Amino acid sequence: MKQIKDKNFVPFIESQLLQARIKELAQLLNKDYDRKNPLLIGVLNGSFMFIGDLFKSIEIECEVTFIRVASYQSTTSTGEVKQILGLKEDIRNRHVIIVEDIVDTGMTMQEVLGQLASQKPASIKILTLLYKPEALKVPLKVDYIGFEIENKFVIGYGLDYDGFGRNLDAIYVVQE
Ligand code: IMP
Ligand code: MG
């Protein structure tokens, strides 16, 4: 068991299982993107560990870069605005794969997808390590999923609780 601040976390997806599934995802990309030179765009911070392992198992020609998503309350509307930071590459006519640690409500990915799609890539897909189908609040097609999980808070392998827990080499779930 791991304690972080006020919460306890118990093992959920062990490292071996994670690594095996990541190799399978890489194999899918090797097949689907052969000779397409895809650009993997990792969403920081959560995806850094996952994309590192995924990238090592990709054997086709490919590139990697990272973005950050900044959220702030808009003064002109009631909604939360999400801004993509850090993308230097020209993605026009590129085959883009957005790599996320987890899709929860789907709102982050919906925004990121929309903003990147407007730059006219040749294709754009979403790949996520974890997916909580019950938490989804917006229509979103997630193309590659590592694990579908129940709607509970998880940490480890890049995912954090208030900044901590990212260094764990497996996924842990909050104990309720
Ligand atoms: P969404 O916009 O609700 O899909 O949220 C996506 C982001 O929320 C993810 O990229 C994570 O940073 C964070 N998040 C959602 N669920 C969890 C969780 O269970 N553990 C840690 N972070 C989470
Ligand atoms: Mg994230």
Side-chain angles (χ1 to χ4, degrees), residues 2-152:
K2 305 283 174 188
Q3 191 186 346
I4 296 178
K5 301 195 167 174
D6 57 326
K7 293 194 197 309
N8 289 323
F9 294 87
V10 292
F12 187 51
I13 306 174
E14 64 172 34
S15 169
Q16 264 195 326
L17 194 56
L18 278 180
Q19 295 302 328
R21 183 64 187 138
I22 290 165
K23 288 208 166 60
E24 287 177 358
L25 290 172
Q27 290 305 322
L28 288 175
L29 299 185
N30 287 334
K31 184 163 64 71
D32 295 352
Y33 287 90
D34 190 21
R35 276 169 287 205
K36 288 184 171 169
N37 183 24
L39 176 65
L40 275 67
I41 302 183
V43 183
L44 294 174
N45 292 330
S47 74
F48 81 98
M49 208 177 278
F50 169 46
I51 204 169
D53 284 338
L54 180 75
F55 202 60
K56 281 186 279 185
S57 291
I58 297 178
E59 288 157 0
I60 55 169
E61 192 172 85
C62 67
E63 293 171 67
V64 66
T65 191
F66 294 91
I67 57 170
R68 247 170 218 289
V69 181
S71 306
Y72 55 91
Q73 296 295 322
S74 167
T75 49
T76 51
S77 75
T78 46
E80 201 188 42
V81 178
K82 292 187 195 292
Q83 190 188 4
I84 296 177
L85 302 176
L87 187 69
K88 305 278 189 292
E89 287 75 7
D90 182 6
I91 64 166
R92 200 180 177 86
N93 298 325
R94 294 294 307 268
H95 292 282
V96 168
I97 307 166
I98 308 167
V99 180
E100 248 298 27
D101 52 353
I102 187 163
V103 174
D104 187 48
T105 65
M107 282 152 96
T108 306
M109 271 307 95
Q110 193 193 44
E111 268 294 314
V112 170
L113 185 71
Q115 289 187 34
L116 294 180
S118 73
Q119 297 180 36
K120 302 280 191 303
S123 70
I124 185 160
K125 289 196 173 173
I126 298 174
L127 184 156
T128 185
L129 178 63
L130 305 174
Y131 177 59
K132 296 178 182 172
E134 292 156 28
L136 200 67
K137 284 192 182 148
V138 292
L140 184 76
K141 181 169 173 274
V142 185
D143 303 281
Y144 300 95
I145 296 170
F147 299 88
E148 281 195 9
I149 62 168
E150 53 197 305
N151 192 6
K152 288 189 180 160

